[in-house]
Amino acid sequence: MMCQAECRHYLQFSFQLPDVYQVFESVAKKYDVMNDMMSLGIHRVWKDLLLWKMRPFPGTQLLDVAGGTGDIAFRFLNYVQAQHQRKQKKQLRAQQNLSWEEIARKYQNEEDSLGGSRVMVCDINKEMLKIGKQKAHAQGYKAGLAWILGDAEELPFDDDKFDVYTIAFGIRNVTHIDQALQEAHRVLKPGGRFLCLEFSQVNNPLVSRLYDVYSFQVIPVLGEVIAGDWKSYQYLVESIRQFPSQEEFKEMIEDAGFQKVTYENLTSGIVAIHSGFKL
Amino acid sequence: MLSGVCGRLASALRGTRAPPSAVALRYEASTNELINEELGIAYPIIDGIPNMVPEAVRMTHQNKKQEEVEQH
């Protein structure tokens, strides 16, 4: 099993393997558009489901790795802000008869609309991060958000730092997945949660057939038409096929020291969310 | 405005580290870097984004001096 995972990089691609960094450098500007086109918008639901599974509470420290354009980070901020607002509404209703001193004190306290939640977006690709920063600025995300250029295999963070580590559609592009998983384990606090949203293996033969046709006939063409880049999207489709199965990946996560490792298939296994805890 | 962004970055990054041990990083406006003097390392900030891949680390002058002393 491990040999299979290690040999992954020697498996055949149909053409000269492009440099992964360059792939993302060239797709960065069209990344979001292509995601919508290729998945018919469904990637948004997958990412929403990842947040639903996470259920972060205000005060959660999140590290989103390979999260360049910010999709997970923004969803996280929306979620904790909405939670914080609900909490405040409840508090207000319970505080209808405050004294003048108490009211004055409330004005003096600096309001953190996120309740102490923070997300660091770490990506190895500068272009992806730049797009993410621009989006954040355009959509008004400021507080509780930091962008860092870093390597998933050697993270620039202390041990035991984060409550949650997420990596959405990023881990299959990492050269040494086991190292990335070990780093994830290291930087999580005890009790912290690892969550990975990634393409996986389809469990339904009919869906599998349609998925293959769509992947190999449609996606690279879309890539050429929309992004002017057939090769990068051919790489994308093939890298998806090379990624370990749900069970294999679960074992890799367990090997990194995580416990209570589970996975959930989405859309007949086209995508899976793997979860593990550092206990 | 950029220094405001980086200032916030620096405080947000208080928990980040460079090499093995736990360190805190300070934002140095003159060189636009995140520096840890204790370890004598600095990370560049490019376009408001700190570059913290292992290869990006720069040894600060204090560290270089220390190394020269040790070599003698």
Side-chain angles (χ1 to χ4, degrees):
Chain A
M1 280 288 187
M2 268 317 289
C3 179
Q4 206 174 0
E6 277 162 359
C7 292
R8 190 174 61 82
H9 297 285
Y10 304 98
L11 294 173
Q12 295 170 332
F13 278 78
S14 68
F15 60 103
Q16 171 69 35
L17 205 61
D19 178 66
V20 178
Y21 190 93
Q22 282 170 355
V23 166
F24 280 91
E25 210 171 35
S26 94
V27 307
K29 287 198 177 69
K30 295 277 168 68
Y31 187 72
D32 292 337
V33 170
M34 278 304 296
N35 282 346
D36 274 333
M37 289 289 138
M38 291 191 295
S39 68
L40 308 172
I42 302 173
H43 75 103
R44 296 166 185 245
V45 178
W46 292 331
K47 287 163 183 168
D48 289 341
L49 287 170
L50 181 68
L51 256 298
W52 269 108
K53 203 168 172 92
M54 194 194 303
R55 292 203 179 291
F57 49 83
T60 296
Q61 309 294 296
L62 170 66
L63 174 64
D64 182 34
V65 175
T69 55
D71 280 351
I72 302 299
F74 302 154
R75 283 171 168 77
F76 170 79
L77 291 172
N78 291 341
Y79 193 104
V80 293
Q81 189 171 50
Q83 279 226 306
H84 190 70
Q85 279 169 356
R86 267 194 293 266
K87 192 170 138 198
Q88 281 191 311
K89 248 190 176 173
K90 265 194 193 163
Q91 265 182 343
L92 270 175
R93 291 206 185 120
Q95 286 173 350
Q96 282 303 301
N97 294 311
L98 290 178
S99 68
W100 288 114
E101 291 89 353
E102 285 168 315
I103 294 174
R105 215 178 305 133
K106 288 189 83 200
Y107 278 100
Q108 283 164 2
N109 295 336
E110 226 188 276
E111 262 308 311
D112 177 2
S113 66
L114 299 172
S117 316
R118 259 188 357 203
V119 50
M120 302 235 191
V121 181
C122 181
D123 198 298
I124 199 162
N125 192 293
K126 197 176 72 161
E127 297 309 312
M128 296 288 278
L129 286 170
K130 275 165 87 172
I131 301 285
K133 269 195 105 184
Q134 283 166 20
K135 279 168 66 178
H137 185 74
Q139 294 173 34
Y141 293 102
K142 273 187 248 174
L145 180 59
W147 307 86
I148 297 173
L149 193 79
D151 187 346
E153 297 181 17
E154 208 171 325
L155 291 171
F157 302 111
D158 272 330
D159 300 358
D160 309 323
K161 263 272 152 315
F162 298 97
D163 298 307
V164 184
Y165 172 114
T166 50
I167 184 163
F169 301 116
I171 204 159
R172 75 175 187 285
N173 299 305
V174 172
T175 314
H176 303 105
I177 294 180
D178 54 339
Q179 279 184 35
L181 291 172
Q182 278 169 34
E183 278 293 88
H185 191 269
R186 181 182 66 75
V187 302
L188 277 170
K189 291 180 195 170
R193 189 176 197 182
F194 168 86
L195 282 167
C196 174
L197 175 65
E198 188 54 81
F199 290 107
S200 202
Q201 288 183 10
V202 177
N203 50 27
N204 175 312
L206 174 63
V207 174
S208 179
R209 186 85 179 89
L210 291 167
Y211 183 50
D212 281 348
V213 169
Y214 186 71
S215 296
F216 289 99
Q217 316 288 4
V218 177
I219 286 180
V221 176
L222 277 180
E224 185 57 40
V225 167
I226 295 176
D229 188 350
W230 163 80
K231 266 195 167 162
S232 293
Y233 290 94
Q234 182 80 19
Y235 161 79
L236 174 82
V237 164
E238 298 197 1
S239 73
I240 291 172
R241 290 296 180 291
Q242 313 282 20
F243 193 72
S245 69
Q246 285 86 330
E247 279 295 328
E248 282 174 314
F249 190 48
K250 174 172 177 261
E251 281 180 29
M252 290 171 78
I253 297 170
E254 286 166 347
D255 287 343
F258 289 101
Q259 293 174 48
K260 303 247 179 274
V261 181
T262 57
Y263 61 83
E264 186 186 332
N265 282 327
L266 306 177
T267 324
S268 297
I270 292 180
V271 153
I273 298 179
H274 280 74
S275 163
F277 290 89
K278 173 175 178 170
L279 296 176
Chain B
M1 194 191 84
L2 186 62
S3 78
V5 167
C6 289
R8 210 185 320 127
L9 249 178
S11 70
L13 292 168
R14 250 196 308 274
T16 60
R17 66 131 192 189
S21 56
V23 300
L25 293 165
R26 171 181 73 79
Y27 172 63
E28 174 57 59
S30 59
T31 55
N32 200 31
E33 289 175 324
L34 289 172
I35 295 182
N36 176 267
E37 271 127 359
E38 195 186 303
L39 291 173
I41 50 160
Y43 286 104
I45 298 175
I46 306 169
D47 294 330
I49 299 170
N51 182 351
M52 300 180 85
V53 295
E55 299 81 45
V57 173
R58 177 182 79 81
M59 305 287 252
T60 57
H61 291 302
Q62 291 103 306
N63 211 356
K64 278 206 190 114
K65 277 190 197 143
Q66 254 182 326
E67 271 183 24
E68 281 162 23
V69 167
E70 278 162 21
Q71 272 164 11
H72 288 310

